[in-house]
Amino acid sequence: STMLTPNAVAILSSSSSTDNPSFNPTVQLLHVKNVRSGAGASERYRVVLSDGTRTVQGMLATQLNSLVSAGQVRDNAVVTVREFISNDVSGKKVVILLNIEVVPWEGGRIGDP
């Protein structure tokens, strides 16, 4: 779809904002799931990022949790990624979203990821 950045998942998975500060892709969050790890731990949200074709696992930095409680970050939300890092977690890529901007979007899943 024109709304999402083509090939964003491949680039997000293999770089970070420090390598490429001008790369601010727009992606869709297919799943937003609370994965708090035990009592007293802060809320952590796992997300699945989609560029309309491919997906990658992601995590929201805790400073973005307020966007979830405000209902702006939810399943199928569309966001522009301003700052991110990618990590290898047990052999799988995980994209940590540090700073995002929510794009107005009321629809469902975009493309066929």
Short mmCIF file of all heavy atoms in Angstrom, two decimals, residues 25-87:
data_model
loop_
_atom_site.label_atom_id
_atom_site.label_comp_id
_atom_site.label_asym_id
_atom_site.label_seq_id
_atom_site.Cartn_x
_atom_site.Cartn_y
_atom_site.Cartn_z
N PRO A 25 10.38 5.22 8.43
CA PRO A 25 9.36 4.48 7.69
C PRO A 25 8.01 4.50 8.39
O PRO A 25 7.92 4.65 9.61
CB PRO A 25 9.91 3.05 7.68
CG PRO A 25 10.66 2.96 8.98
CD PRO A 25 11.29 4.31 9.15
N THR A 26 6.97 4.34 7.60
CA THR A 26 5.62 4.17 8.14
C THR A 26 5.26 2.70 8.05
O THR A 26 5.38 2.08 6.99
CB THR A 26 4.62 5.05 7.36
OG1 THR A 26 5.01 6.41 7.52
CG2 THR A 26 3.20 4.87 7.90
N VAL A 27 4.88 2.12 9.20
CA VAL A 27 4.57 0.70 9.29
C VAL A 27 3.26 0.51 10.04
O VAL A 27 2.77 1.44 10.68
CB VAL A 27 5.70 -0.10 10.00
CG1 VAL A 27 7.00 -0.04 9.21
CG2 VAL A 27 5.91 0.39 11.43
N GLN A 28 2.72 -0.71 9.96
CA GLN A 28 1.51 -1.02 10.70
C GLN A 28 1.85 -1.99 11.83
O GLN A 28 2.69 -2.88 11.66
CB GLN A 28 0.47 -1.65 9.76
CG GLN A 28 -0.88 -1.85 10.44
CD GLN A 28 -1.98 -2.22 9.47
OE1 GLN A 28 -1.76 -2.97 8.52
NE2 GLN A 28 -3.18 -1.70 9.69
N LEU A 29 1.21 -1.79 12.97
CA LEU A 29 1.40 -2.69 14.12
C LEU A 29 0.25 -3.69 14.13
O LEU A 29 -0.90 -3.32 14.40
CB LEU A 29 1.41 -1.89 15.43
CG LEU A 29 2.40 -0.72 15.47
CD1 LEU A 29 2.31 0.00 16.81
CD2 LEU A 29 3.82 -1.19 15.21
N LEU A 30 0.53 -4.94 13.77
CA LEU A 30 -0.55 -5.92 13.62
C LEU A 30 -1.04 -6.44 14.97
O LEU A 30 -2.20 -6.74 15.13
CB LEU A 30 -0.10 -7.09 12.76
CG LEU A 30 0.33 -6.73 11.34
CD1 LEU A 30 0.64 -7.99 10.57
CD2 LEU A 30 -0.74 -5.90 10.63
N HIS A 31 -0.14 -6.57 15.92
CA HIS A 31 -0.52 -7.08 17.24
C HIS A 31 0.19 -6.24 18.27
O HIS A 31 1.38 -5.98 18.14
CB HIS A 31 -0.07 -8.53 17.46
CG HIS A 31 -0.81 -9.50 16.62
ND1 HIS A 31 -2.11 -9.87 16.89
CD2 HIS A 31 -0.44 -10.20 15.52
CE1 HIS A 31 -2.50 -10.74 15.97
NE2 HIS A 31 -1.52 -10.95 15.13
N VAL A 32 -0.53 -5.86 19.30
CA VAL A 32 0.08 -5.16 20.43
C VAL A 32 -0.26 -6.00 21.65
O VAL A 32 -1.43 -6.19 21.97
CB VAL A 32 -0.49 -3.73 20.58
CG1 VAL A 32 0.16 -3.02 21.76
CG2 VAL A 32 -0.27 -2.93 19.29
N LYS A 33 0.76 -6.54 22.31
CA LYS A 33 0.52 -7.52 23.37
C LYS A 33 1.34 -7.16 24.60
O LYS A 33 2.54 -6.91 24.50
CB LYS A 33 0.93 -8.89 22.85
CG LYS A 33 0.60 -10.01 23.82
CD LYS A 33 0.87 -11.38 23.17
CE LYS A 33 0.43 -12.47 24.11
NZ LYS A 33 1.49 -13.39 24.47
N ASN A 34 0.68 -7.14 25.75
CA ASN A 34 1.37 -6.86 27.01
C ASN A 34 2.14 -8.11 27.44
O ASN A 34 1.57 -9.18 27.57
CB ASN A 34 0.32 -6.50 28.07
CG ASN A 34 0.96 -5.97 29.33
OD1 ASN A 34 2.14 -6.21 29.59
ND2 ASN A 34 0.18 -5.28 30.13
N VAL A 35 3.45 -7.96 27.63
CA VAL A 35 4.28 -9.11 28.00
C VAL A 35 5.02 -8.85 29.32
O VAL A 35 6.17 -9.22 29.46
CB VAL A 35 5.29 -9.48 26.89
CG1 VAL A 35 4.58 -10.09 25.71
CG2 VAL A 35 6.12 -8.28 26.44
N ARG A 36 4.33 -8.22 30.25
CA ARG A 36 4.95 -7.91 31.54
C ARG A 36 5.57 -9.16 32.15
O ARG A 36 4.95 -10.22 32.18
CB ARG A 36 3.92 -7.33 32.50
CG ARG A 36 4.58 -6.99 33.83
CD ARG A 36 3.72 -6.21 34.76
NE ARG A 36 2.30 -6.50 34.65
CZ ARG A 36 1.38 -5.73 35.22
NH1 ARG A 36 1.73 -4.66 35.86
NH2 ARG A 36 0.11 -6.04 35.11
N SER A 37 6.79 -9.03 32.65
CA SER A 37 7.51 -10.23 33.11
C SER A 37 7.51 -10.32 34.63
O SER A 37 8.54 -10.20 35.26
CB SER A 37 8.96 -10.17 32.60
OG SER A 37 9.53 -8.93 33.01
N GLY A 38 6.32 -10.49 35.21
CA GLY A 38 6.28 -10.70 36.66
C GLY A 38 5.81 -9.49 37.44
O GLY A 38 5.81 -8.37 36.93
N ALA A 39 5.45 -9.71 38.68
CA ALA A 39 4.91 -8.65 39.53
C ALA A 39 5.95 -7.55 39.72
O ALA A 39 7.14 -7.83 39.86
CB ALA A 39 4.52 -9.23 40.88
N GLY A 40 5.49 -6.31 39.69
CA GLY A 40 6.40 -5.21 39.95
C GLY A 40 7.18 -4.77 38.72
O GLY A 40 7.74 -3.69 38.70
N ALA A 41 7.22 -5.62 37.69
CA ALA A 41 7.93 -5.23 36.46
C ALA A 41 7.08 -4.19 35.74
O ALA A 41 5.86 -4.20 35.87
CB ALA A 41 8.15 -6.44 35.57
N SER A 42 7.73 -3.31 34.98
CA SER A 42 6.92 -2.33 34.26
C SER A 42 6.29 -3.03 33.06
O SER A 42 6.76 -4.05 32.59
CB SER A 42 7.77 -1.14 33.82
OG SER A 42 8.81 -1.59 33.01
N GLU A 43 5.20 -2.45 32.58
CA GLU A 43 4.52 -3.00 31.42
C GLU A 43 5.47 -2.96 30.23
O GLU A 43 6.13 -1.95 30.00
CB GLU A 43 3.31 -2.13 31.07
CG GLU A 43 2.40 -1.83 32.22
CD GLU A 43 1.22 -2.79 32.26
OE1 GLU A 43 0.63 -3.03 31.20
OE2 GLU A 43 0.94 -3.30 33.34
N ARG A 44 5.52 -4.04 29.47
CA ARG A 44 6.26 -4.05 28.20
C ARG A 44 5.29 -4.52 27.13
O ARG A 44 4.51 -5.43 27.36
CB ARG A 44 7.44 -5.04 28.24
CG ARG A 44 8.59 -4.68 29.12
CD ARG A 44 9.21 -3.31 28.85
NE ARG A 44 9.61 -3.02 27.49
CZ ARG A 44 10.85 -3.13 27.03
NH1 ARG A 44 11.81 -3.57 27.81
NH2 ARG A 44 11.14 -2.79 25.78
N TYR A 45 5.36 -3.91 25.97
CA TYR A 45 4.47 -4.30 24.89
C TYR A 45 5.27 -4.84 23.72
O TYR A 45 6.19 -4.20 23.23
CB TYR A 45 3.61 -3.12 24.44
CG TYR A 45 2.59 -2.75 25.48
CD1 TYR A 45 2.86 -1.75 26.41
CD2 TYR A 45 1.39 -3.43 25.57
CE1 TYR A 45 1.93 -1.43 27.39
CE2 TYR A 45 0.46 -3.11 26.55
CZ TYR A 45 0.74 -2.11 27.45
OH TYR A 45 -0.17 -1.80 28.43
N ARG A 46 4.86 -6.05 23.31
CA ARG A 46 5.43 -6.64 22.11
C ARG A 46 4.51 -6.27 20.95
O ARG A 46 3.29 -6.25 21.10
CB ARG A 46 5.52 -8.16 22.26
CG ARG A 46 6.39 -8.78 21.19
CD ARG A 46 6.81 -10.18 21.51
NE ARG A 46 5.66 -11.03 21.84
CZ ARG A 46 5.76 -12.09 22.63
NH1 ARG A 46 6.89 -12.42 23.20
NH2 ARG A 46 4.69 -12.83 22.86
N VAL A 47 5.10 -5.99 19.80
CA VAL A 47 4.30 -5.63 18.63
C VAL A 47 4.81 -6.44 17.43
O VAL A 47 5.94 -6.93 17.44
CB VAL A 47 4.39 -4.12 18.31
CG1 VAL A 47 3.76 -3.29 19.42
CG2 VAL A 47 5.83 -3.67 18.08
N VAL A 48 3.96 -6.59 16.45
CA VAL A 48 4.39 -7.14 15.16
C VAL A 48 4.31 -6.00 14.16
O VAL A 48 3.25 -5.39 13.99
CB VAL A 48 3.49 -8.32 14.72
CG1 VAL A 48 3.90 -8.81 13.33
CG2 VAL A 48 3.57 -9.46 15.73
N LEU A 49 5.46 -5.69 13.53
CA LEU A 49 5.53 -4.59 12.57
C LEU A 49 5.33 -5.15 11.18
O LEU A 49 5.93 -6.17 10.84
CB LEU A 49 6.91 -3.95 12.62
CG LEU A 49 7.29 -3.31 13.94
CD1 LEU A 49 8.75 -3.49 14.22
CD2 LEU A 49 6.96 -1.85 13.89
N SER A 50 4.53 -4.46 10.37
CA SER A 50 4.31 -4.89 8.99
C SER A 50 4.54 -3.73 8.04
O SER A 50 4.16 -2.60 8.32
CB SER A 50 2.86 -5.37 8.83
OG SER A 50 2.50 -5.41 7.46
N ASP A 51 5.17 -4.04 6.89
CA ASP A 51 5.27 -3.03 5.83
C ASP A 51 4.29 -3.34 4.70
O ASP A 51 4.39 -2.82 3.60
CB ASP A 51 6.71 -2.91 5.30
CG ASP A 51 7.24 -4.21 4.71
OD1 ASP A 51 6.45 -5.14 4.43
OD2 ASP A 51 8.48 -4.31 4.50
N GLY A 52 3.32 -4.21 4.97
CA GLY A 52 2.32 -4.58 3.97
C GLY A 52 2.68 -5.86 3.24
O GLY A 52 1.83 -6.48 2.59
N THR A 53 3.95 -6.27 3.36
CA THR A 53 4.43 -7.48 2.68
C THR A 53 5.07 -8.44 3.67
O THR A 53 4.80 -9.63 3.66
CB THR A 53 5.48 -7.12 1.61
OG1 THR A 53 4.92 -6.10 0.77
CG2 THR A 53 5.82 -8.33 0.75
N ARG A 54 5.95 -7.90 4.52
CA ARG A 54 6.67 -8.72 5.49
C ARG A 54 6.42 -8.21 6.90
O ARG A 54 6.01 -7.08 7.09
CB ARG A 54 8.18 -8.69 5.18
CG ARG A 54 8.55 -9.40 3.90
CD ARG A 54 10.05 -9.32 3.64
NE ARG A 54 10.81 -9.90 4.74
CZ ARG A 54 12.10 -9.64 4.98
NH1 ARG A 54 12.76 -8.81 4.19
NH2 ARG A 54 12.73 -10.20 5.98
N THR A 55 6.73 -9.07 7.88
CA THR A 55 6.57 -8.68 9.27
C THR A 55 7.85 -8.96 10.05
O THR A 55 8.68 -9.78 9.64
CB THR A 55 5.42 -9.44 9.95
OG1 THR A 55 5.72 -10.84 9.94
CG2 THR A 55 4.09 -9.19 9.27
N VAL A 56 7.99 -8.28 11.18
CA VAL A 56 9.10 -8.54 12.10
C VAL A 56 8.59 -8.27 13.51
O VAL A 56 7.70 -7.44 13.72
CB VAL A 56 10.34 -7.66 11.77
CG1 VAL A 56 10.05 -6.17 11.97
CG2 VAL A 56 11.56 -8.08 12.59
N GLN A 57 9.12 -9.02 14.48
CA GLN A 57 8.77 -8.79 15.88
C GLN A 57 9.35 -7.46 16.35
O GLN A 57 10.47 -7.10 15.96
CB GLN A 57 9.37 -9.89 16.77
CG GLN A 57 8.76 -11.25 16.56
CD GLN A 57 7.40 -11.38 17.21
OE1 GLN A 57 7.07 -10.69 18.18
NE2 GLN A 57 6.58 -12.27 16.68
N GLY A 58 8.63 -6.78 17.21
CA GLY A 58 9.14 -5.54 17.78
C GLY A 58 8.76 -5.42 19.25
O GLY A 58 7.97 -6.20 19.76
N MET A 59 9.35 -4.43 19.90
CA MET A 59 9.00 -4.09 21.28
C MET A 59 8.85 -2.58 21.32
O MET A 59 9.61 -1.86 20.66
CB MET A 59 10.11 -4.47 22.26
CG MET A 59 10.36 -5.94 22.47
SD MET A 59 9.05 -6.81 23.36
CE MET A 59 9.18 -6.14 25.01
N LEU A 60 7.93 -2.11 22.16
CA LEU A 60 7.85 -0.68 22.41
C LEU A 60 8.76 -0.34 23.57
O LEU A 60 8.74 -1.02 24.60
CB LEU A 60 6.43 -0.29 22.82
CG LEU A 60 5.32 -0.37 21.78
CD1 LEU A 60 4.04 0.20 22.40
CD2 LEU A 60 5.66 0.38 20.52
N ALA A 61 9.55 0.70 23.44
CA ALA A 61 10.29 1.21 24.59
C ALA A 61 9.27 1.66 25.63
O ALA A 61 8.17 2.12 25.29
CB ALA A 61 11.16 2.39 24.17
N THR A 62 9.63 1.51 26.93
CA THR A 62 8.64 1.78 27.98
C THR A 62 8.13 3.22 27.94
O THR A 62 7.00 3.48 28.34
CB THR A 62 9.21 1.47 29.38
OG1 THR A 62 10.47 2.11 29.50
CG2 THR A 62 9.38 -0.01 29.59
N GLN A 63 8.92 4.15 27.40
CA GLN A 63 8.43 5.54 27.37
C GLN A 63 7.27 5.72 26.39
O GLN A 63 6.63 6.76 26.37
CB GLN A 63 9.56 6.54 27.05
CG GLN A 63 10.14 6.44 25.66
CD GLN A 63 11.43 5.64 25.63
OE1 GLN A 63 11.64 4.76 26.46
NE2 GLN A 63 12.30 5.91 24.67
N LEU A 64 6.97 4.69 25.57
CA LEU A 64 5.84 4.77 24.64
C LEU A 64 4.57 4.12 25.20
O LEU A 64 3.54 4.13 24.54
CB LEU A 64 6.21 4.09 23.30
CG LEU A 64 7.41 4.70 22.58
CD1 LEU A 64 7.72 3.90 21.32
CD2 LEU A 64 7.18 6.16 22.23
N ASN A 65 4.66 3.57 26.42
CA ASN A 65 3.51 2.86 26.99
C ASN A 65 2.27 3.74 27.08
O ASN A 65 1.15 3.26 26.97
CB ASN A 65 3.83 2.32 28.39
CG ASN A 65 4.74 1.10 28.33
OD1 ASN A 65 5.11 0.63 27.26
ND2 ASN A 65 5.11 0.59 29.49
N SER A 66 2.47 5.05 27.29
CA SER A 66 1.31 5.93 27.44
C SER A 66 0.48 5.97 26.16
O SER A 66 -0.73 6.20 26.19
CB SER A 66 1.76 7.35 27.81
OG SER A 66 2.64 7.82 26.81
N LEU A 67 1.12 5.72 25.01
CA LEU A 67 0.37 5.68 23.74
C LEU A 67 -0.57 4.49 23.70
O LEU A 67 -1.63 4.54 23.08
CB LEU A 67 1.33 5.60 22.55
CG LEU A 67 2.20 6.84 22.28
CD1 LEU A 67 3.22 6.53 21.18
CD2 LEU A 67 1.33 8.03 21.87
N VAL A 68 -0.17 3.40 24.38
CA VAL A 68 -1.04 2.22 24.45
C VAL A 68 -2.19 2.50 25.40
O VAL A 68 -3.36 2.26 25.07
CB VAL A 68 -0.26 0.96 24.91
CG1 VAL A 68 -1.19 -0.24 24.96
CG2 VAL A 68 0.91 0.68 23.97
N SER A 69 -1.89 3.05 26.58
CA SER A 69 -2.98 3.31 27.53
C SER A 69 -3.94 4.36 26.99
O SER A 69 -5.13 4.34 27.30
CB SER A 69 -2.46 3.67 28.92
OG SER A 69 -1.28 4.39 28.85
N ALA A 70 -3.45 5.27 26.15
CA ALA A 70 -4.34 6.29 25.54
C ALA A 70 -5.14 5.71 24.38
O ALA A 70 -5.98 6.40 23.80
CB ALA A 70 -3.50 7.47 25.06
N GLY A 71 -4.85 4.46 24.00
CA GLY A 71 -5.59 3.82 22.92
C GLY A 71 -5.11 4.21 21.53
O GLY A 71 -5.72 3.85 20.53
N GLN A 72 -4.00 4.95 21.45
CA GLN A 72 -3.50 5.36 20.13
C GLN A 72 -2.69 4.25 19.47
O GLN A 72 -2.71 4.11 18.26
CB GLN A 72 -2.62 6.60 20.28
CG GLN A 72 -3.36 7.84 20.64
CD GLN A 72 -2.40 9.02 20.60
OE1 GLN A 72 -1.61 9.25 21.50
NE2 GLN A 72 -2.45 9.76 19.52
N VAL A 73 -1.96 3.50 20.28
CA VAL A 73 -1.24 2.34 19.77
C VAL A 73 -2.06 1.12 20.13
O VAL A 73 -2.27 0.82 21.30
CB VAL A 73 0.19 2.26 20.34
CG1 VAL A 73 0.81 0.89 20.07
CG2 VAL A 73 1.06 3.35 19.73
N ARG A 74 -2.58 0.45 19.10
CA ARG A 74 -3.44 -0.73 19.28
C ARG A 74 -3.28 -1.58 18.03
O ARG A 74 -2.55 -1.20 17.11
CB ARG A 74 -4.90 -0.27 19.46
CG ARG A 74 -5.39 0.54 18.28
CD ARG A 74 -6.79 1.11 18.47
NE ARG A 74 -7.28 1.69 17.23
CZ ARG A 74 -6.94 2.89 16.75
NH1 ARG A 74 -6.09 3.65 17.42
NH2 ARG A 74 -7.43 3.32 15.62
N ASP A 75 -3.96 -2.73 18.02
CA ASP A 75 -3.87 -3.58 16.83
C ASP A 75 -4.26 -2.79 15.58
O ASP A 75 -5.27 -2.07 15.59
CB ASP A 75 -4.80 -4.80 16.97
CG ASP A 75 -4.31 -5.77 18.04
OD1 ASP A 75 -3.25 -5.50 18.66
OD2 ASP A 75 -4.97 -6.79 18.25
N ASN A 76 -3.46 -2.94 14.54
CA ASN A 76 -3.66 -2.28 13.24
C ASN A 76 -3.38 -0.79 13.22
O ASN A 76 -3.64 -0.12 12.22
CB ASN A 76 -5.06 -2.57 12.66
CG ASN A 76 -5.23 -4.04 12.33
OD1 ASN A 76 -4.27 -4.72 11.96
ND2 ASN A 76 -6.43 -4.55 12.50
N ALA A 77 -2.81 -0.25 14.31
CA ALA A 77 -2.41 1.16 14.29
C ALA A 77 -1.30 1.34 13.25
O ALA A 77 -0.49 0.44 13.02
CB ALA A 77 -1.92 1.60 15.66
N VAL A 78 -1.27 2.50 12.62
CA VAL A 78 -0.22 2.85 11.67
C VAL A 78 0.66 3.91 12.32
O VAL A 78 0.15 4.88 12.88
CB VAL A 78 -0.82 3.35 10.34
CG1 VAL A 78 0.25 3.87 9.39
CG2 VAL A 78 -1.62 2.22 9.67
N VAL A 79 1.97 3.70 12.28
CA VAL A 79 2.89 4.63 12.94
C VAL A 79 4.07 4.94 12.03
O VAL A 79 4.47 4.13 11.19
CB VAL A 79 3.43 4.07 14.28
CG1 VAL A 79 2.28 3.74 15.24
CG2 VAL A 79 4.30 2.84 14.08
N THR A 80 4.61 6.12 12.20
CA THR A 80 5.87 6.50 11.57
C THR A 80 6.96 6.33 12.62
O THR A 80 6.83 6.84 13.73
CB THR A 80 5.82 7.94 11.04
OG1 THR A 80 4.79 8.00 10.04
CG2 THR A 80 7.15 8.34 10.41
N VAL A 81 7.99 5.59 12.26
CA VAL A 81 9.08 5.29 13.19
C VAL A 81 10.11 6.40 13.11
O VAL A 81 10.70 6.63 12.05
CB VAL A 81 9.73 3.93 12.85
CG1 VAL A 81 10.86 3.61 13.83
CG2 VAL A 81 8.68 2.81 12.87
N ARG A 82 10.31 7.11 14.21
CA ARG A 82 11.29 8.20 14.24
C ARG A 82 12.64 7.72 14.75
O ARG A 82 13.67 8.26 14.36
CB ARG A 82 10.77 9.32 15.15
CG ARG A 82 9.52 9.99 14.65
CD ARG A 82 9.81 10.96 13.53
NE ARG A 82 8.59 11.41 12.88
CZ ARG A 82 8.51 11.65 11.57
NH1 ARG A 82 9.56 11.48 10.80
NH2 ARG A 82 7.39 12.07 11.04
N GLU A 83 12.63 6.75 15.67
CA GLU A 83 13.88 6.27 16.25
C GLU A 83 13.72 4.81 16.64
O GLU A 83 12.71 4.44 17.24
CB GLU A 83 14.19 7.08 17.51
CG GLU A 83 15.62 7.55 17.62
CD GLU A 83 15.77 8.37 18.90
OE1 GLU A 83 14.92 9.26 19.14
OE2 GLU A 83 16.71 8.08 19.66
N PHE A 84 14.72 3.99 16.29
CA PHE A 84 14.62 2.56 16.57
C PHE A 84 16.01 1.95 16.66
O PHE A 84 17.00 2.53 16.21
CB PHE A 84 13.84 1.85 15.44
CG PHE A 84 14.59 1.79 14.14
CD1 PHE A 84 15.31 0.66 13.79
CD2 PHE A 84 14.61 2.88 13.28
CE1 PHE A 84 16.04 0.60 12.59
CE2 PHE A 84 15.33 2.84 12.08
CZ PHE A 84 16.04 1.70 11.74
N ILE A 85 16.08 0.79 17.28
CA ILE A 85 17.29 -0.03 17.20
C ILE A 85 16.82 -1.46 16.93
O ILE A 85 15.70 -1.83 17.26
CB ILE A 85 18.13 0.00 18.50
CG1 ILE A 85 17.27 -0.27 19.73
CG2 ILE A 85 18.90 1.30 18.65
CD1 ILE A 85 18.06 -0.34 21.03
N SER A 86 17.69 -2.26 16.29
CA SER A 86 17.31 -3.67 16.13
C SER A 86 18.29 -4.52 16.90
O SER A 86 19.49 -4.25 16.94
CB SER A 86 17.25 -4.06 14.65
OG SER A 86 18.51 -3.95 14.06
N ASN A 87 17.74 -5.52 17.57
CA ASN A 87 18.52 -6.43 18.41
C ASN A 87 18.31 -7.85 17.94
O ASN A 87 17.28 -8.17 17.37
CB ASN A 87 18.02 -6.37 19.87
CG ASN A 87 18.54 -5.15 20.59
OD1 ASN A 87 19.45 -4.49 20.12
ND2 ASN A 87 17.96 -4.85 21.73
#
